[in-house]
């Protein structure tokens, strides 16, 4: 056996026995973690420390590749990751003024996500960790979004807030997920509700394409941001009667769950029948109405969940945390801040640039899991479909 590989295997055996107590006694200096994220189309890496300092962050977007095709193509995105990862990781280390020897742990997105994209990041992270003799932590993408609020937090006005203590309620809204959780501890989440069909971000993206909007450029870009920008000039009441509020039927009013497929379909039919794309103001009004309906649906189900948790079960929630790509929407933040305040809770969101997929959240989740003794083997593989509640099984072992 190669001496480097043999040494890595020996180290891996010792890593599995680390606990939070062992970590604290091992070193008084902050833990430094390299995070790698490739679950969708952005190739990102970051270096973060356990004293909540972001030393570096590098992002390579692929909007120019996928916009002409109308959406994310997994195999194309994977090829982009393989091309981008070497320099993205190198630049993250250089920006942090660190070498791989200075890194205490490598954290990488294990799932959920697009299979070929996850594999690109996982293979790179495992190879880097094994050769350098560093422990590896496989991170659940949605747990990373939830825990980012414990690294760096803002309210709707951009003011920095203290990190929320457990338990808190967290709404994760993105292109692939609409998930409402109660966060009890690292690796311990109770799912309160999820989407029954389309995720909110997917519905917004398709509504944006139906309106013929060009993707917003830059890091916080894409079709969803284009719709948000168009909605700024629109009247959210103009098409109110033509777009139904999801799950407003009597049998659904007392159930926590989300659905955006019907609203998306109604939007696409309305755009076609009303010939909206030929009128700039009509496009803005349709965007504003659709956005408002999406937020109203979230508000309705959040009230139901908060009533049950606080008023019926007396759970001492400390905050309402909202994260994921859609959480960068300023109208959403403002309206949910009012809702949270009505229950005596602060609304806590990561800064907008950390709402979208990023290496910072993976590195921070890796820190929290490492400190809890949740370290993985080099043999770990990706889990494209990964229920977040299953993390409890790992913690219990």
């Amino acid at each position: 056996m190669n001496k480097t590989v043999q040494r890595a295997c020996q180290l891996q055996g010792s890593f599995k026995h680390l606990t939070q107590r062992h970590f604290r006694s091992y070193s008084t200096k902050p833990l430094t973690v390299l995070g790698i994220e490739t679950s969708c189309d952005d190739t990102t890496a970051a270096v973060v420390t356990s004293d909540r300092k972001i030393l570096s962050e590098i992002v390579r977007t692929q909007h120019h590749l996928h916009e002409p095709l109308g959406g994310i193509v997994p195999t194309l995105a994977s090829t982009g990751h393989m091309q981008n990862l070497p320099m993205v990781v190198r630049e993250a280390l250089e920006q942090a003024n660190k070498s791989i020897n200075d890194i205490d742990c490598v954290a990488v997105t294990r799932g959920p996500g697009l299979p070929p994209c996850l594999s690109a990041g996982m293979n790179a992270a495992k190879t880097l960790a094994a050769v350098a003799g560093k422990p590896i932590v496989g991170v659940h993408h949605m747990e990373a979004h939830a825990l980012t609020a414990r690294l760096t937090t803002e309210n709707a006005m951009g003011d920095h807030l203290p990190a929320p203590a457990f338990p808190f309620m967290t709404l994760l809204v993105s292109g692939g997920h609409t998930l409402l959780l109660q966060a009890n501890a690292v690796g311990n989440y109770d799912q309160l509700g999820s989407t029954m069909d389309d995720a909110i971000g997917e519905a917004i993206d398709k509504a944006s394409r139906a309106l013929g909007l060009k993707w917003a450029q830059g890091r916080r870009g894409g079709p969803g941001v284009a719709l948000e920008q168009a909605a700024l000039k629109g009247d959210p009441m103009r098409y109110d009667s033509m777009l139904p509020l999801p799950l407003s039927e009597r049998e659904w009013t007392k159930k926590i769950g989300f659905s955006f497929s019907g609203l998306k379909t109604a939007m696409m039919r309305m755009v076609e029948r009303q010939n909206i794309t030929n009128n700039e103001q009509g496009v803005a009004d349709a965007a504003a109405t659709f956005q408002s309906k999406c937020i109203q649906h979230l508000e309705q189900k959040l009230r139901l969940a908060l009533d049950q948790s606080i008023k019926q079960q007396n759970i001492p929630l400390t905050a309402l945390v909202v994260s994921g790509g859609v959480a960068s929407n300023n109208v959403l933040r403002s309206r949910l801040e009012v809702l949270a305040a009505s229950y005596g809770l602060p609304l806590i969101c990561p800064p907008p640039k950390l709402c979208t997929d990023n290496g910072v959240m993976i590195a921070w989740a890796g820190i929290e899991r490492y400190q809890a003794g949740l370290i993985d083997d080099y043999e770990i593989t990706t889990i494209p479909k990964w229920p977040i509640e299953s993390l409890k099984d790992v913690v219990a072992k």
Side-chain angles (χ1 to χ4, degrees):
M1 181 182 291
N2 180 284
K3 289 184 178 180
T4 301
V5 176
Q6 185 177 28
R7 176 57 178 159
C9 292
Q10 291 171 346
L11 287 170
Q12 184 66 27
S14 64
F15 296 153
K16 295 297 289 183
H17 297 290
L18 282 173
T19 64
Q20 188 171 8
R21 182 182 65 187
H22 291 147
F23 165 73
R24 288 175 175 168
S25 63
Y26 175 76
S27 176
T28 58
K29 71 174 184 178
L31 183 69
T32 302
V33 170
L34 169 67
I36 297 174
E37 152 63 22
T38 62
S39 65
C40 192
D41 60 325
D42 289 343
T43 310
T44 72
V47 178
V48 178
T49 64
S50 57
D51 58 351
R52 303 176 74 190
K53 293 180 180 177
I54 301 172
L55 302 185
S56 69
E57 183 191 14
I58 303 297
V59 179
R60 294 281 194 281
T61 64
Q62 300 183 23
H63 295 161
H64 64 290
L65 298 176
H66 300 281
E67 180 179 8
L69 302 174
I72 306 302
V73 180
T75 53
L76 183 61
S78 176
T79 299
H81 290 314
M82 289 187 284
Q83 293 172 335
N84 293 330
L85 266 169
M87 291 308 300
V88 165
V89 171
R90 177 175 174 173
E91 289 174 25
L93 291 171
E94 289 178 346
Q95 189 180 92
N97 196 26
K98 301 287 184 183
S99 73
I100 189 60
N101 295 325
D102 300 317
I103 299 299
D104 296 301
C105 175
V106 178
V108 61
T109 306
R110 189 177 185 185
L114 301 176
C117 297
L118 290 170
S119 295
M122 177 63 74
N123 291 336
K126 289 201 301 181
T127 301
L128 184 63
V131 170
K134 304 295 181 178
I136 189 165
V137 174
V139 172
H140 192 291
H141 184 84
M142 302 315 292
E143 179 175 39
H145 273 305
L147 293 178
T148 306
R150 287 165 53 81
L151 166 65
T152 177
T153 59
E154 292 183 352
N155 61 13
M157 302 303 293
D159 302 318
H160 289 278
L161 301 175
F166 296 109
F168 56 85
M169 186 174 290
T170 180
L171 175 66
L172 306 175
V173 280
S174 68
H177 303 274
T178 308
L179 189 61
L180 186 60
L181 305 170
Q182 180 178 299
N184 304 305
V186 175
N188 186 334
Y189 303 90
D190 293 322
Q191 181 173 310
L192 306 178
S194 182
T195 182
M196 295 182 289
D197 39 63
D198 293 348
I200 183 173
E202 179 186 359
I204 291 173
D205 288 353
K206 290 181 178 178
S208 178
R209 288 195 286 272
L211 290 171
L213 297 171
K214 293 183 179 180
W215 287 25
Q217 298 303 307
R219 174 174 175 177
R220 190 181 161 254
V225 177
L227 185 138
E228 178 186 358
Q229 293 172 349
L232 293 174
K233 303 176 183 178
D235 176 5
M237 296 303 297
R238 178 174 175 182
Y239 296 110
D240 182 75
S241 62
M242 298 184 185
L243 296 179
L245 179 65
L247 302 184
S248 57
E249 299 85 356
R250 179 177 297 180
E251 63 268 24
W252 287 106
T253 55
K254 297 300 182 182
K255 296 180 180 180
I256 302 174
F258 305 94
S259 173
F260 294 93
S261 179
L263 177 61
K264 174 200 69 180
T265 301
M267 172 71 165
M268 296 174 75
R269 288 175 178 170
M270 181 187 77
V271 170
E272 182 178 356
R273 291 172 180 174
Q274 299 292 319
N275 202 22
I276 289 175
T277 55
N278 291 332
N279 182 290
E280 183 177 348
Q281 188 58 51
V283 168
D285 292 341
T289 306
F290 184 83
Q291 176 179 265
S292 183
K293 288 287 185 178
C294 288
I295 296 173
Q296 188 179 349
H297 181 40
L298 294 178
E299 290 172 327
Q300 182 186 61
K301 298 306 180 179
L302 275 171
R303 288 193 188 94
L304 183 58
L306 288 167
D307 282 344
Q308 291 182 5
S309 296
I310 296 176
K311 297 180 180 180
Q312 299 175 23
Q313 301 174 14
N314 295 316
I315 296 172
L317 298 176
T318 63
L320 172 61
V321 171
V322 181
S323 191
V326 180
S328 62
N329 183 295
N330 289 316
V331 177
L332 173 68
R333 286 180 177 230
S334 297
R335 285 174 55 168
L336 294 190
E337 184 168 46
V338 173
L339 185 151
S342 70
Y343 288 88
L345 298 175
L347 174 73
I348 297 180
C349 304
K353 72 174 186 177
L354 295 183
C355 284
T356 54
D357 296 347
N358 61 87
V360 170
M361 71 180 193
I362 302 304
W364 179 254
I367 288 171
E368 295 238 40
R369 293 186 68 80
Y370 185 102
Q371 290 177 323
L374 301 172
I375 301 169
D376 293 296
D377 295 314
Y378 292 137
E379 291 81 8
I380 63 168
T381 57
T382 61
I383 309 178
K385 294 184 179 181
W386 190 6
I388 194 168
E389 286 188 301
S390 68
L391 293 176
K392 293 179 183 178
D393 298 334
V394 178
V395 174
K397 290 181 180 179

